[in-house]
Amino acid sequence: MTERILIFFALAGLGWAFRKGGLLTRDGVRDLIRLNMDVCVPALTFVTAATRLTPAVAALDAGIAGPLLGLPLAAILLTLASVAIGFATVPLAGVSRRRTPTYVFILTFANALFLPIPLAFALRGEDGVLFVNLFYAGYLVLFWTLGTWLLSGKVRWGFFLHPNLFALVLGAWVGMAGWTVPGPLLDILKIVAGGAIGLALIYSGAVLGEERLSFARDARALAVLAGVKLVVFPLLALLAVRAVAAPGPIAFQAVLQAAMPCMAQAGLYVDRFGGDTGFASRAAVLTSLLCLVTVPFFLGQTG
């Protein structure tokens, strides 16, 4: 498992090298992100949901123990717990009142799609991609409401109109109804979807390549944030899913998402909605580097 995870992180390293070497420009990275998030990832989401999300997989009769209801609920619970822990650790991190919203935001809202999709695909196949998207549906609600409110004091309802959310809803409708996507259309979507994982990893690394690797500034706050983000969160998630005997898909996703580093593009969101952009960027770089050790360890505990 560790070898497969390291292969995906190596692709992110290529993206970092491409950006540092000038093969990818700042605008080029932004174009890759838009292409992937608006086209390739939605195609992957639709194909996966339409072909994998059957009534048996959704397990609606199991209620919140089933993936269709349990994974979005897990996302909401994990996010709310992260916010509470974030505010509780502000004194320990020694961050100022002005920086507190940024600290809580980047601690709470992790890399919930770019890295989880490749990792889940490597470890759980197409079902893993499906479960990431079901988790993301619950996460997205709080990201564009609670998350943007933390930074700007406003709720950004318009961002719910995202192609990936529509792709998930449409794909779930097709899959749950037992319909079959016409062969030629499915083949085209699969070709487009094939680029999603590689592109996600490459531009994740490229975004990090835009930041300076200097952590001496804000060392205390960054150390506390990294410890909470990469050790405390996944440890608590692991203990929680074991305590309630959570079903396999929910347990795996909860630990996977709790172990994720800060968003690679955290600085972009903080810059857009208000906050300490430099601190967010340094936190993204630091946690992305350290998670090379912590992510394989915690995923190894999920069985």
Side-chain angles (χ1 to χ4, degrees):
M1 180 181 67
T2 301
E3 181 180 351
R4 284 178 288 178
I5 292 174
L6 291 177
I7 288 173
F8 284 112
F9 279 113
L11 286 174
L14 283 178
W16 181 88
F18 292 159
R19 182 68 184 95
K20 285 295 187 182
L23 186 60
L24 282 174
T25 64
R26 182 180 179 87
D27 289 339
V29 173
R30 303 303 179 271
D31 289 340
L32 275 182
I33 292 174
R34 290 191 60 186
L35 172 66
N36 204 38
M37 293 302 293
D38 293 351
V39 180
C40 297
V41 170
L44 177 62
T45 298
F46 173 80
V47 169
T48 303
T51 58
R52 310 291 293 188
L53 188 57
T54 63
V57 171
L60 279 174
D61 57 328
I64 61 173
L68 190 59
L69 297 180
L71 285 169
L73 177 60
I76 293 171
L77 293 176
L78 178 62
T79 302
L80 294 178
S82 299
V83 171
I85 295 173
F87 278 111
T89 57
V90 163
L92 180 63
V95 299
S96 64
R97 178 175 296 182
R98 181 184 63 83
R99 181 176 282 176
T100 293
T102 302
Y103 173 83
V104 176
F105 174 83
I106 59 179
L107 190 62
T108 301
F109 296 99
N111 196 323
L113 206 62
F114 291 177
L115 288 182
I117 282 183
L119 292 176
F121 179 76
L123 301 175
R124 294 291 190 272
E126 292 183 352
D127 283 346
V129 176
L130 172 62
F131 295 148
V132 167
N133 277 287
L134 291 176
F135 183 97
Y136 191 70
Y139 171 92
L140 194 65
V141 172
L142 290 180
F143 182 87
W144 291 121
T145 53
L146 178 60
T148 54
W149 176 81
L150 279 172
L151 291 176
S152 66
K154 298 178 181 178
V155 174
R156 311 284 173 151
W157 296 104
F159 285 97
F160 282 104
L161 304 177
H162 192 278
N164 198 52
L165 187 57
F166 286 112
L168 177 60
V169 172
L170 183 59
W173 184 18
V174 171
M176 293 291 288
W179 297 338
T180 301
V181 181
L185 175 59
L186 186 62
D187 289 342
I188 292 173
L189 290 172
K190 284 183 176 179
I191 292 173
V192 175
I197 292 174
L199 284 177
L201 290 164
I202 288 172
Y203 65 63
S204 291
V207 169
L208 295 177
E210 297 176 353
E211 310 301 335
R212 296 178 61 185
L213 298 178
S214 176
F215 308 119
R217 183 182 177 185
D218 305 316
R220 174 184 171 184
L222 288 171
V224 171
L225 184 144
V228 173
K229 187 75 172 167
L230 301 178
V231 179
V232 175
F233 280 2
L235 179 59
L236 291 177
L238 184 62
L239 293 174
V241 298
R242 287 180 175 177
V244 301
I250 297 176
F252 176 78
Q253 279 303 316
V255 176
L256 169 67
Q257 295 287 350
M260 286 296 97
C262 298
M263 291 182 294
Q265 71 278 29
L268 302 180
Y269 283 113
V270 171
D271 181 63
R272 183 172 187 176
F273 299 125
D276 191 327
T277 304
F279 179 67
S281 299
R282 288 189 290 275
V285 174
L286 179 62
T287 56
S288 295
L289 291 173
L290 294 178
C291 80
L292 288 168
V293 176
T294 58
V295 168
F297 171 78
F298 282 107
L299 291 186
Q301 309 307 307
T302 63

